[in-house]
C-alpha cells in the first residue's frame, strides 16, 4: 500500500497552535499530517513536563456557505454577460443560489437598463417615490424579486468601457455592536455544524489529553473582532460536550488577544506571538 505524502498544517492552523503554546506553555508533540485518519490537528505537551497534555483541533477560517458562494460566482461571472449593456455591481449573500438566480438576475438588470434605473436595493428604493410613501407597484415587484434571489442590491457602473459584466461582491465591513453577547451563540452554532460535530468526535478519542478546540471567526463576524479589540467578556456560556475541556475563539483581525472558555466561563488571553495581519474589514462601533 502506497504511503500518503505528509501534508503541512495550514497558516491559520499554525497561528492557532502558536497562540495555545504561548498561553499554556506547551510545544508540539505531533500533528495531523493526513497520513492516517482520525488524528487531532495537534498534540501538545507541556514544556516543563508537569502541566496537562492537550489534543487541539482548529476550525477553518472560512464559512462553508460563503466559500461555496464564491466558487459559484467565479464560475458564472468571469466575463461579459450576454444581454447586458452596462456593467453592474451586485451584492450577493451566502444564501444566494448562484446557478438558479443567474437568468432571473439578468432579466431584472435588463429591465432596469430599459427603464433607465441605475440602482436598486433592499435597504431603500431609488425611484421617484416621495419620502414616507410606498414605492410604485413595479418597483415593489422588483424588490420582491431581488429578495427572492437572496441578493441585496445592484448598481450600474456608468462607463464608456462597459462590457456588460456583473461584478459580484459581498459586504464584510459594517457596524459591529460593542458587546460580547454574540460570542457564545457563534460557538453553539459551530458546535452544531458538521465541522464542529466532527472535531468534537475526534477530541473524544484522546481520553489521556485535554480536548481543546480553536474556532476562528469568519471574516464577516465583525462583532467578534470588535469585542476582542475592546476587551468585552461574554457572561453566558456555550453548550459544550464533556470531551471538550477548553474552547479558544479568535479573529484574524484582532491580533493581540483571543477568547478562552473553560467550565469557569470566558476570559481573554493576550497573544504576543502573532505577527499582525492585514485587516480586510473596516469596523465601526454602534453605541
Amino acid at each position: 500500500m502506497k504511503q500518503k505524502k505528509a501534508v503541512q498544517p495550514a497558516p491559520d492552523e499554525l497561528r492557532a497552535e502558536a497562540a495555545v503554546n504561548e498561553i499554556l506553555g506547551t510545544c508540539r508533540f505531533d500533528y495531523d499530517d493526513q497520513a492516517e485518519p482520525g488524528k487531532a490537528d495537534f498534540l501538545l505537551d507541556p514544556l516543563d513536563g508537569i502541566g496537562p497534555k492537550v489534543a487541539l483541533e482548529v476550525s477553518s477560517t472560512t464559512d462553508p456557505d460563503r466559500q461555496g458562494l464564491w466558487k459559484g460566482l467565479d464560475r458564472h461571472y468571469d466575463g461579459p454577460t450576454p444581454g447586458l449593456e452596462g456593467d453592474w455591481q451586485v451584492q450577493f449573500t451566502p444564501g444566494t443560489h448562484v446557478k438558479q438566480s443567474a437568468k432571473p438576475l439578468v432579466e431584472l438588470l435588463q429591465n432596469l437598463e430599459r427603464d433607465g434605473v441605475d440602482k436598486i436595493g433592499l435597504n431603500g428604493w431609488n425611484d421617484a417615490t416621495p419620502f414616507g410613501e410606498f414605492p410604485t407597484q413595479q418597483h415593489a415587484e422588483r424588490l420582491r424579486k431581488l429578495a427572492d434571489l437572496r441578493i441585496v442590491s445592484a448598481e450600474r457602473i456608468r462607463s464608456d468601457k462597459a462590457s456588460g459584466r456583473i461584478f459580484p461582491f459581498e459586504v464584510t465591513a459594517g457596524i459591529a455592536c460593542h458587546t460580547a453577547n454574540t460570542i457564545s451563540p457563534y460557538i453553539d452554532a459551530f458546535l452544531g455544524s458538521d465541522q464542529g460535530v466532527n472535531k468534537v468526535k475526534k477530541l473524544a478519542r484522546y481520553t489521556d489529553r485535554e480536548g481543546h478546540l480553536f474556532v476562528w471567526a469568519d471574516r464577516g463576524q465583525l462583532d467578534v473582532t470588535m469585542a476582542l479589540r475592546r476587551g468585552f467578556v461574554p457572561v453566558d456560556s456555550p453548550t459544550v460536550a464533556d470531551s471538550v475541556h477548553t474552547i479558544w475563539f479568535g479573529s484574524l483581525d484582532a491580533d493581540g488577544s483571543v477568547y478562552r472558555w473553560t467550565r469557569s466561563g470566558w476570559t481573554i488571553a493576550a497573544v504576543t506571538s502573532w505577527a499582525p495581519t492585514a485587516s480586510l474589514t473596516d469596523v465601526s462601533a454602534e453605541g
Side-chain angles (χ1 to χ4, degrees), residues 10 18 23 26 28 43 78 127 135 182 189 196 202 213 217 233 245 251 254 261 267 276 286:
I23 296 167
T26 51
R28 185 191 299 181
L43 298 181
D78 61 349
D127 59 8
T182 60
K202 288 173 71 174
L213 176 62
V233 180
H245 178 277
S251 168
W261 177 89
T267 56
E286 179 183 40

Side-chain angles (χ1 to χ4, degrees), residues 80-86 88 106-107 109-111 113-114 163-165:
T81 301
L84 287 183
E85 296 180 1
W88 290 82
V106 172
E107 292 174 350
L109 298 181
Q110 287 175 328
N111 290 334
E113 288 183 344
R114 181 195 64 208
S163 59
R165 290 198 61 180

